[in-house]
């Protein structure tokens, strides 16, 4: 009887121990039910992968991920949450280029663009572009945003405030260097730099470029598209509303066409219909804001005496930019100041 009692006693102790252990594990498991989970892309919507316990640090981690930088630069154009004004205006999904993939224009864009300049020769835009893209690539050479990339770009205007600025080496240090219209560099290297990667022009301002430079056509009419095709092949077109180059010596593989849809986007969202349409300088600036990670701006606005003129001009009171009345120079200057205040660009004022 004593042996049996001992066995019963030992068995009872074992059962009690198992019960205590069971309670311990049950408590432990219920204590971690508030785990943070990551939804997977599997078909089973209930399938979840545990990440970290749900505590104050997990909430901080979530906020850090949301606020993560969009590039590897010190300041990144694409970073959200830096400026509410900028975020409300900026559309990172719109492509600045006219390509094979987006040849068809929305009706409102089509009608607006055709009203910019007289159309002396009505033509089907798609047919004209199809012929053009047999001569030039018509592709998008700009990859999507990359968090590890730091593409630094200099947008170089033609203001007289560049004269004596000594910005040349600083400008040349950028990955992309964008210039517009005439923009001579020979003889002005100390102030404006030697290098150019993108040169934005319309037919009436076009000039020959070295083989390593992208010619970016800013078209205002269908005839401009016909001209670039002609200038790179037959040389048939010599006149638009003014004499134009019959032949153009540029690298065909680097020719790009500015998208009228992007043109209107700048007019609608940024310059907000001030002026008939944005200046070439504004078009180049917003092109840069959509393909670059960090944007520095040189040669915009007046000199330190308030004069509007080009850095290569001896006559400082020319001021053709303001005389035309086509662009609202004061409003465009306001936009540039707002972009600088938002930390999206850095403006170098020169002299």
């Amino acid at each position: 009887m004593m042996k049996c009692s001992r066995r019963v006693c030992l068995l009872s102790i074992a059962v009690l121990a198992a019960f205590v252990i069971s309670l311990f594990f049950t408590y432990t498991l219920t204590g971690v039910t508030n785990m943070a989970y990551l939804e997977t892309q599997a078909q089973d919507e209930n399938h979840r992968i545990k990440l970290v316990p749900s505590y104050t640090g997990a909430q901080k981690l979530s906020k850090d991920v949301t606020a993560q930088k969009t590039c590897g630069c010190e300041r990144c154009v694409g970073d959200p949450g830096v400026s509410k004004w900028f975020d409300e205006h900026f559309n990172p999904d719109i492509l600045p280029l006219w390509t094979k993939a987006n040849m068809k224009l929305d009706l409102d864009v089509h009608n607006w663009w055709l009203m910019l300049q007289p159309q002396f020769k009505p033509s089907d835009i798609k047919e004209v572009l199809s012929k053009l893209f047999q001569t030039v690539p018509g592709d998008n050479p700009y990859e999507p945003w990359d968090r590890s990339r730091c593409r630094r770009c200099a947008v170089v205007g033609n203001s007289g405030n560049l004269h004596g600025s000594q910005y040349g080496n600083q400008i040349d240090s950028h990955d992309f260097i964008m210039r517009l219209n005439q923009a001579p560099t020979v003889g002005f290297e100390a102030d404006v730099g030697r290098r150019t990667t993108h040169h934005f022009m319309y037919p009436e301002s076009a000039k020959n470029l070295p083989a390593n430079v992208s010619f970016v056509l800013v078209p205002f009419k269908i005839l401009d598209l016909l001209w670039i095709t002609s200038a790179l092949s037959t040389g048939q077109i010599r006149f638009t509303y003014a004499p134009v180059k019959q032949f153009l010596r540029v690298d065909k593989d680097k020719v790009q066409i500015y998208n009228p849809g992007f043109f209107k986007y700048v007019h609608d969202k940024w310059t907000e219909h001030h002026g008939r349409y944005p200046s070439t300088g504004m078009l180049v600036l917003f092109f840069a804001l959509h393909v670059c990670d960090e944007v520095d701006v040189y040669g915009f606005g007046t000199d330190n005496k308030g004069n509007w003129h080009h850095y290569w001009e001896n006559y400082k009171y020319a001021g053709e930019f303001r005389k035309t009345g086509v662009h609202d120079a004061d409003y465009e200057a306001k936009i540039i100041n707002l972009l600088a205040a938002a930390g999206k660009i850095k403006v170098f004022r020169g002299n």
Side-chain angles (χ1 to χ4, degrees):
M1 290 291 295
M2 284 295 291
K3 290 183 180 180
C4 181
S5 297
R6 287 177 182 174
R7 286 181 189 147
V8 171
C9 185
L10 290 173
L11 181 61
S12 299
I13 292 171
V15 170
L16 179 61
F19 178 72
V20 170
I21 293 172
S22 175
L23 282 177
F24 173 78
F25 278 106
T26 300
Y27 174 80
T28 304
L29 290 172
T30 55
V32 295
T33 53
N34 289 326
M35 296 288 285
Y37 290 90
L38 173 68
E39 297 288 349
T40 69
Q41 296 180 352
Q43 292 182 353
D44 181 4
E45 294 182 355
N46 294 321
H47 185 88
R48 298 187 293 180
I49 300 174
K50 294 179 182 179
L51 287 180
V52 292
S54 178
Y55 59 97
T56 306
Q59 296 176 358
K60 183 178 184 299
L61 176 65
S62 176
K63 291 180 180 179
D64 289 344
V65 170
T66 303
Q68 189 173 0
K69 289 173 68 66
T70 58
C71 79
C73 299
E74 181 179 347
R75 50 187 168 85
C76 304
V77 169
D79 285 355
V82 177
S83 164
K84 181 180 178 182
W85 167 79
F86 183 84
D87 292 345
E88 288 173 348
H89 289 74
F90 187 69
N91 180 0
D93 298 322
I94 185 169
L95 181 65
L97 291 182
W98 217 352
T99 69
K100 295 174 184 176
N102 65 349
M103 286 195 291
K104 186 177 179 180
L105 298 177
D106 291 340
L107 183 60
D108 62 330
V109 174
H110 176 272
N111 293 338
W112 176 82
W113 183 66
L114 291 182
M115 292 296 292
L116 293 183
Q117 290 185 5
Q119 303 289 323
F120 299 111
K121 186 179 179 181
S123 302
D124 179 76
I125 294 177
K126 186 175 180 179
E127 181 181 344
V128 172
L129 284 176
S130 295
K131 290 181 179 179
L132 173 58
F133 291 147
Q134 292 175 14
T135 305
V136 302
D139 300 322
N140 175 22
Y142 306 106
E143 68 274 14
W145 294 100
D146 182 347
R147 293 184 187 275
S148 64
R149 184 189 69 189
C150 180
R151 178 183 287 159
R152 298 178 60 250
C153 300
V155 176
V156 187
N158 295 325
S159 172
N161 64 36
L162 284 172
H163 189 72
S165 66
Q166 297 293 305
Y167 284 148
N169 290 336
Q170 186 175 322
I171 289 172
D172 283 343
S173 70
H174 292 77
D175 300 300
F176 285 176
I177 302 166
M178 302 180 180
R179 305 184 192 272
L180 54 138
N181 298 331
Q182 191 172 345
T185 56
V186 177
F188 304 95
E189 294 90 344
D191 296 331
V192 305
R194 302 172 181 273
R195 296 179 56 234
T196 303
T197 62
H198 297 69
H199 206 125
F200 294 72
M201 293 177 277
Y202 45 89
E204 296 78 18
S205 68
K207 65 178 185 178
N208 298 327
L209 296 175
N212 62 341
V213 178
S214 295
F215 177 95
V216 186
L217 175 70
V218 181
F220 290 85
K221 50 191 178 295
I222 296 177
L223 185 55
D224 295 352
L225 304 175
L226 295 169
W227 166 79
I228 186 66
T229 304
S230 169
L232 296 174
S233 56
T234 62
Q236 292 178 334
I237 298 177
R238 303 185 183 189
F239 191 89
T240 54
Y241 64 79
V244 293
K245 292 182 72 66
Q246 182 180 2
F247 293 100
L248 190 65
R249 292 197 303 274
V250 297
D251 189 336
K252 291 182 182 181
D253 291 336
K254 287 185 170 291
V255 171
Q256 301 171 15
I257 312 299
Y258 203 101
N259 181 4
F262 192 84
F263 199 150
K264 191 172 188 299
Y265 155 72
V266 176
H267 184 59
D268 290 344
K269 297 289 289 184
W270 295 100
T271 57
E272 297 180 322
H273 302 172
H274 288 77
R276 280 191 56 217
Y277 49 82
S279 68
T280 308
M282 291 299 282
L283 296 178
V284 177
L285 174 57
F286 283 100
F287 186 101
L289 284 168
H290 282 259
V291 303
C292 303
D293 301 310
E294 185 174 292
V295 177
D296 293 333
V297 178
Y298 304 82
F300 277 58
T302 65
D303 63 14
N304 57 13
K305 295 181 179 179
N307 299 318
W308 293 86
H309 62 98
H310 298 134
Y311 62 80
W312 61 86
E313 290 175 335
N314 291 323
Y315 181 51
K316 291 190 176 183
Y317 305 101
E320 292 299 328
F321 179 75
R322 291 183 71 104
K323 289 180 180 179
T324 63
V326 175
H327 315 302
D328 190 329
D330 295 322
Y331 194 80
E332 293 191 359
K334 174 185 174 182
I335 296 300
I336 290 173
N337 289 336
L338 287 172
L339 288 169
K344 298 301 181 179
I345 64 174
K346 187 173 182 180
V347 181
F348 295 83
R349 303 291 180 179
N351 294 317

